[in-house]
């Protein structure tokens, strides 16, 4: 009887051990599938996984296979199925870290919690140039961005036209989700434009007796005339004086824009013959739209332009980036003669 009981105990112990081993093996298998590190990123730089708009689970798997960041693709698929990720694929830009497990990775992708993209733009002349830059940062392609800024319906809604559509762009640093569409980008820029025109700026606008569009146009010329923020209000004052007196602006940057050759450093008489509404040597008044996307300092310089009697200015012959201002044409000619002599001495002829 004692031997029989002992045998039963041994059998039960062995069975218990087998069950324990099976459970342990199953647990280890589940651990390896769910909690063990599975993302391997060799680079020290931040790694982002991009999931395009319209992607399904198969597209995500193709991307992961192509990148080769998963040590075990089958275990990821197993976890993804059990967490119902195939039914909840969300596009975007996701920051992955080395050593992530499948559970964390699937949870991140399923949540749609993207890492935003910081978008900064300045020194931009045209919508096409802007679209080219933005398309390198966001999913929207350049053609769709250009199209939305030239959309007839949107132009009409915002009292704009194809010439001044870029005036709603305020250069700054913004955060976007990578999968932002062209229309969403436009709407955000439109919102930022209205936020920019605070009550204080609108009050300044009244004092200038200019419209918002006129401010943008003059600011774009100021932007191209000088990089010195301290003298921008003075330069703005010159053009406002000319504009309000009904003079031709005779702004060299408008000729360069009309010619479309932004490599020109020295405007010659032959350039003044270009047949364009942007030729301010030929046409009185402001050009039909901004010749670049002016920065905030240039816009504020127009709103706070210096009241003075200057009607002329010319780059200083010391190439400091500053300008010599004049009230009379005679004084201006003397300043211009000194500058042109300095140009010739440096071999700058175009």
């Amino acid at each position: 009887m004692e031997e029989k009981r002992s045998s039963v105990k041994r059998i039960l112990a062995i069975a218990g051990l087998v069950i324990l081993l099976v459970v342990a093996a199953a647990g280890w298998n589940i651990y390896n599938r769910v909690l063990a590190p599975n993302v391997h990123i060799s680079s020290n730089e931040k790694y982002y996984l991009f999931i395009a708009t319209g992607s399904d689970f198969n597209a995500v798997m193709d991307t992961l296979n192509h990148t080769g960041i998963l040590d075990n693709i089958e275990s990821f698929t197993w976890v993804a199925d059990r967490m119902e990720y195939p039914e909840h694929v969300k596009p975007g830009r996701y920051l992955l870290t080395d050593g992530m497990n499948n559970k964390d990775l699937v949870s991140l992708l399923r949540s749609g919690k993207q890492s935003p993209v910081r978008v900064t733009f300045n020194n931009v002349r045209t919508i096409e140039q802007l679209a080219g830059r933005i398309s390198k940062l966001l999913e929207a392609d350049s053609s769709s961005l250009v199209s939305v800024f030239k959309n007839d319906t949107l132009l009409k809604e915002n009292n704009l036209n194809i010439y001044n559509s870029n005036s709603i762009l305020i250069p700054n640093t913004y955060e976007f989700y990578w999968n932002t569409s062209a229309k969403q980008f436009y709407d955000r820029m439109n919102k930022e434009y209205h936020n920019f025109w605070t009550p204080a700026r609108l009050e300044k606008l009244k004092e200038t007796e200019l419209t918002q569009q006129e401010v943008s146009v003059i600011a774009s010329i100021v932007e191209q005339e000088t990089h010195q923020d301290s003298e921008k209000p003075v330069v703005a004052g010159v053009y406002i004086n000319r504009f309000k007196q009904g003079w031709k602006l005779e702004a060299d940057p408008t000729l360069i824009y009309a010619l479309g050759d932004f490599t020109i450093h020295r405007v010659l008489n032959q350039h003044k013959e270009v047949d364009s509404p942007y030729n301010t040597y030929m046409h009185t008044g402001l050009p039909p739209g901004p010749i670049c996307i002016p920065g905030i300092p240039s816009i504020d310089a127009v709103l706070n332009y210096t009241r003075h009697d200057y009607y002329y200015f010319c780059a200083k012959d010391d190439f400091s980036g500053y300008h010599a201002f004049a009230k009379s044409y005679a004084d201006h000619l003397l300043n211009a003669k000194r500058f042109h002599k300095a140009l010739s001495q440096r071999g700058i002829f175009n």
Side-chain angles (χ1 to χ4, degrees):
M1 191 70 176
E2 287 292 331
E3 289 184 12
K4 188 175 182 179
R5 288 178 179 175
S6 179
S7 296
V8 171
K9 287 181 179 180
R10 282 198 298 273
I11 292 171
L12 290 174
I14 292 171
L17 180 60
V18 170
I19 292 171
L20 182 62
L21 290 173
V22 170
V23 170
W28 179 250
N29 183 48
I30 292 174
Y31 169 80
N32 279 328
R33 288 173 180 264
V34 180
L35 299 177
N38 195 32
V39 174
H40 180 71
I41 299 171
S42 56
S43 173
N44 292 325
E45 298 180 0
K46 290 183 177 180
Y47 184 90
Y48 295 97
L49 178 68
F50 295 87
I51 299 176
T53 298
S55 295
D56 59 11
F57 184 63
N58 288 331
V60 175
M61 293 304 298
D62 287 343
T63 301
L64 289 171
N65 273 314
H66 179 72
T67 60
I69 61 171
L70 294 182
D71 292 328
N72 189 313
I73 196 76
E74 291 78 13
S75 67
F76 172 81
T77 304
W78 187 87
V79 173
D81 285 338
R82 277 147 187 80
M83 294 181 67
E84 299 181 352
Y85 175 56
E87 293 81 37
H88 298 88
V89 173
K90 295 180 175 66
R93 170 181 181 261
Y94 299 93
L95 175 62
L96 308 189
T97 56
D98 186 46
M100 288 182 78
N101 60 46
N102 288 325
K103 180 178 179 296
D104 289 340
L105 177 56
V106 174
S107 295
L108 173 63
L109 300 181
R110 193 179 188 279
S111 71
K113 292 181 180 178
Q114 301 184 49
S115 292
V117 180
R118 289 174 65 84
V119 174
T120 300
F121 62 88
N122 48 42
N123 299 321
V124 179
R125 291 183 182 271
T126 66
I127 289 294
E128 287 77 12
Q129 190 180 62
L130 174 77
R133 292 189 187 182
I134 299 302
S135 65
K136 294 177 182 178
L137 301 172
L138 304 180
E139 186 180 23
D141 60 63
S142 58
S143 61
S144 64
L145 287 162
V146 171
S147 295
V148 76
F149 275 93
K150 295 186 177 181
N151 180 276
D152 289 338
T153 301
L154 292 176
L155 289 173
K156 190 173 182 179
E157 287 177 358
N158 294 286
N159 296 315
L160 298 171
N161 55 55
I162 59 171
Y163 297 107
N164 60 22
S165 61
N166 59 349
S167 62
I168 70 165
L169 291 160
I170 304 296
N172 213 329
T173 298
Y174 304 97
E175 284 194 347
F176 288 92
Y177 286 129
W178 172 75
N179 59 317
T180 296
S181 68
K183 178 58 165 57
Q184 289 171 331
F185 179 81
Y186 180 90
D187 289 342
R188 172 71 182 282
M189 290 296 94
N190 196 14
K191 178 182 177 181
E192 295 293 344
Y193 174 76
H194 286 94
N195 289 341
F196 171 80
W197 284 100
T198 60
R201 284 195 173 99
L202 290 173
E203 188 60 35
K204 287 287 186 181
L205 181 68
K206 288 181 181 179
E207 295 175 12
T208 65
E209 298 181 339
L210 299 169
T211 67
Q212 288 178 335
Q213 296 307 317
E214 289 171 340
V215 167
S216 293
V217 173
I218 296 173
S220 72
I221 298 173
V222 171
E223 179 94 357
Q224 295 303 309
E225 287 285 16
T226 179
H227 298 300
Q228 307 297 337
D229 288 348
S230 61
E231 73 168 9
K232 283 182 177 180
V234 186
V235 173
V238 170
Y239 283 118
I240 291 174
N241 284 347
R242 293 181 184 177
F243 178 59
K244 291 188 173 181
Q245 288 295 323
W247 290 21
K248 292 175 182 176
L249 296 189
E250 298 188 347
D252 288 356
T254 65
L255 292 182
I256 295 172
Y257 183 86
L259 292 163
D261 183 358
F262 303 122
T263 65
I264 295 173
H265 298 291
R266 184 172 183 176
V267 171
L268 307 174
N269 286 332
Q270 67 192 51
H271 297 141
K272 299 175 184 178
E273 302 303 318
V274 60
D275 184 13
S276 168
Y278 289 91
N279 185 343
T280 56
Y281 279 85
M282 185 178 293
H283 303 288
T284 303
L286 300 180
I291 61 170
C292 71
I293 300 172
I296 293 175
S298 296
I299 298 173
D300 283 340
V302 177
L303 293 175
N304 298 277
Y305 75 92
T306 305
R307 274 69 172 174
H308 54 58
D309 295 326
Y310 296 130
Y311 284 83
Y312 307 93
F313 68 97
C314 177
K316 287 188 173 181
D317 59 353
D318 60 2
F319 294 94
S320 62
Y322 288 90
H323 293 79
F325 296 87
K327 296 178 181 180
S328 70
Y329 187 59
D331 287 341
H332 171 65
L333 287 178
L334 292 175
N335 292 332
K337 184 177 181 179
R338 282 191 287 267
F339 177 63
H340 289 145
K341 181 180 179 181
L343 283 176
S344 298
Q345 288 174 342
R346 295 197 177 198
I348 301 174
F349 301 104
N350 55 47

